[in-house]
């Protein structure tokens, strides 16, 4: 999560609220959206290269 990204912060809050409500489907949805967020594309791409 980027500390300066409003969208990341919103998704984190939404994910935590869903976790507390027991909505595991929404928790997963938020996690996927966080992972796909453009601010995370460099980190995901470099992590994929390290594994190969």
């Amino acid at each position: 999560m980027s500390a300066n990204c409003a969208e990341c912060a919103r998704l984190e809050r939404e994910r935590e609220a869903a976790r507390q409500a027991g909505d595991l489907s929404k928790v997963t949805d938020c996690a996927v959206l966080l992972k796909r967020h453009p601010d995370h594309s460099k980190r995901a791409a470099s992590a994929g290269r390290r594994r190969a």
Side-chain angles (χ1 to χ4, degrees):
M1 177 176 123
S2 174
N4 297 325
C5 180
E7 182 66 8
C8 286
R10 183 189 69 79
L11 286 167
E12 283 288 341
R13 287 190 307 270
E14 194 171 321
R15 181 171 66 172
E16 185 56 32
R19 183 177 289 125
Q20 291 177 4
D23 186 350
L24 299 181
S25 178
K26 188 162 188 158
V27 170
T28 301
D29 291 345
C30 290
V32 169
L33 290 171
L34 277 164
K35 225 173 202 186
R36 289 182 177 178
H37 192 275
D39 288 349
H40 301 286
S41 62
K42 276 188 174 179
R43 185 174 66 194
S46 65
R49 280 188 239 131
R50 279 186 240 146
R51 289 183 193 142

